[in-house]
Amino acid sequence: MIMAPPSTLAPGGSEAHHLATVWWIMFALAVGVYLVVGGFIVVSSLRGRRREPIEGPTRHDDYFIWIGGVIAPVLILMFIAFLTVHTGAALRNPSKNSLPIHVVGRQWWWEVSYPGTSVVTANEIHAPVGQPLEITLDSDNVVHSFWLPQLAGKEDVVPGQPNVLRFTVTKAGTYRGVCAEYCGLQHANMGFRLIAMSPGEFEIWLQHEQHITPVPESELAARGEVAFMANACAGCHTVRGTSANGTLGPDLTDIGSRARIGAETLENTPHDLERWIDDPGKDKPGVLMPPATISHDDVTAIAAYLEGLK
Ligand code: CUA
């Protein structure tokens, strides 16, 4: 069995320390058993065949078999079983100061919300450095797999069976994530990112997200808002603070602040956003969002409106 020290998978602080200690104990035990067994093999092969005729088993042989073959393995396995149960329980126990985040695997993007706040976003998880994260994973369709290779192991995202992934990010930065379970046509374009920042910056971000005012900043954007609300867009997407409250597609309240669109499919530039609105299936075949049936001017205006939402 190949194992890695649980430095990134474990909850933060003293619990991480505790888990690392357990890991080293189990590793030392495995090395010990390996050396003893390997040692016997080496010794027996060096001794070669017995020359003298084999006599019946001696009392010494009996002790050797009972202690080496029964008592020692039972004690070692009991000790490992105890450590396993103990560590499993520690891993399941949420840290007192962990940050709950709710992530739902959709087809084919990720909905991200922060329980206790009104914040809902998509494909970007903002998180503070140093605070244990408790990410509840859920799906409303098929099984996905949530994977941030640099931060934690894969976790299945199962409809009706929420799984919880716990880890602590120790370094600020942007971490790419992917869906790691085949989930349909656009499985490969189901990317996301985790943006880790200082706790202060995270608090500012979280406050800002709850006070975004979706007011168009230009004449073009104002026309875009009208077109957005009058057409199918508002039936599938939510922009908090407006009459758009659809839930089929991603919440677009902060779309202007996101690095990419279409779950990491395209750049978030006016050009790419127009291209996306016009016909998302060009870049993401099978996407559930239909091509636009509006004029190109309206597409441009809607893109301008959306880029201003941040
Ligand atoms: Cu979702 Cu693959």
Side-chain angles (χ1 to χ4, degrees):
M1 180 167 54
I2 297 170
M3 300 183 291
S7 56
T8 53
L9 309 184
S14 62
E15 286 158 78
H17 215 84
H18 169 78
L19 289 172
T21 309
V22 170
W23 184 88
W24 280 111
I25 291 173
M26 291 178 91
F27 182 70
L29 214 61
V31 169
V33 170
Y34 181 82
L35 288 179
V36 169
V37 174
F40 277 126
I41 292 172
V42 170
V43 167
S44 61
S45 63
L46 289 179
R47 271 174 57 169
R49 235 174 234 269
R50 281 185 205 215
R51 297 262 151 68
E52 65 274 24
I54 297 168
E55 292 154 20
T58 62
R59 182 168 281 265
H60 178 261
D61 291 336
D62 273 358
Y63 284 147
F64 188 71
I65 287 169
W66 274 103
I67 294 171
V70 179
I71 297 171
V74 164
L75 287 179
I76 289 172
L77 289 176
M78 274 170 60
F79 181 60
I80 289 178
F82 166 77
L83 281 184
T84 304
V85 171
H86 182 74
T87 308
L91 278 170
R92 272 194 302 279
N93 273 343
S95 303
K96 277 147 244 119
N97 65 335
S98 60
L99 175 75
I101 302 176
H102 191 213
V103 173
V104 182
R106 309 285 298 263
Q107 272 174 320
W108 289 272
W109 53 281
W110 303 91
E111 185 175 276
V112 181
S113 59
Y114 294 78
T117 75
S118 59
V119 179
V120 184
T121 183
N123 308 318
E124 289 191 358
I125 301 170
H126 287 72
V129 162
Q131 184 178 0
L133 307 179
E134 189 179 319
I135 303 184
T136 302
L137 298 162
D138 207 349
S139 165
D140 67 352
N141 46 88
V142 297
V143 177
H144 304 271
S145 177
F146 180 93
W147 192 27
L148 281 158
Q150 292 164 284
L151 297 176
K154 295 170 188 170
E155 186 66 74
D156 278 347
V157 184
V158 185
Q161 171 58 62
N163 282 335
V164 178
L165 182 64
R166 296 189 181 92
F167 58 91
T168 305
V169 189
T170 51
K171 208 168 144 230
T174 299
Y175 301 85
R176 274 296 311 274
V178 293
C179 178
E181 173 88 31
Y182 181 71
C183 57
L185 215 51
Q186 283 302 322
H187 156 70
N189 278 322
M190 193 168 164
F192 63 101
R193 56 182 60 201
L194 185 145
I195 301 150
M197 47 183 72
S198 73
E201 285 171 324
F202 174 74
E203 200 44 50
I204 291 169
W205 174 84
L206 197 65
Q207 288 304 321
H208 171 74
E209 281 282 315
Q210 294 173 84
H211 299 101
I212 293 176
T213 42
V215 178
E217 282 162 357
S218 67
E219 206 181 309
L220 183 65
R223 275 205 286 122
E225 183 187 28
V226 173
F228 184 93
M229 301 302 163
N231 286 290
C233 320
C236 289
H237 295 282
T238 290
V239 177
R240 293 193 300 278
T242 73
S243 60
N245 57 7
T247 54
L248 281 176
D251 186 304
L252 299 180
T253 308
D254 67 353
I255 173 92
S257 71
R258 293 178 205 158
R260 295 182 72 87
I261 50 177
E264 301 276 335
T265 304
L266 290 177
E267 299 281 343
N268 189 2
T269 59
H271 172 269
D272 278 12
L273 189 52
E274 281 176 36
R275 181 183 164 90
W276 177 263
I277 296 166
D278 188 51
D279 186 2
K282 260 195 296 206
D283 298 292
K284 199 167 175 175
V287 66
L288 302 188
M289 175 168 156
T293 52
I294 52 179
S295 70
H296 186 71
D297 281 355
D298 277 350
V299 169
T300 307
I302 289 173
Y305 168 59
L306 295 179
E307 291 291 7
L309 298 179
K310 52 187 166 192

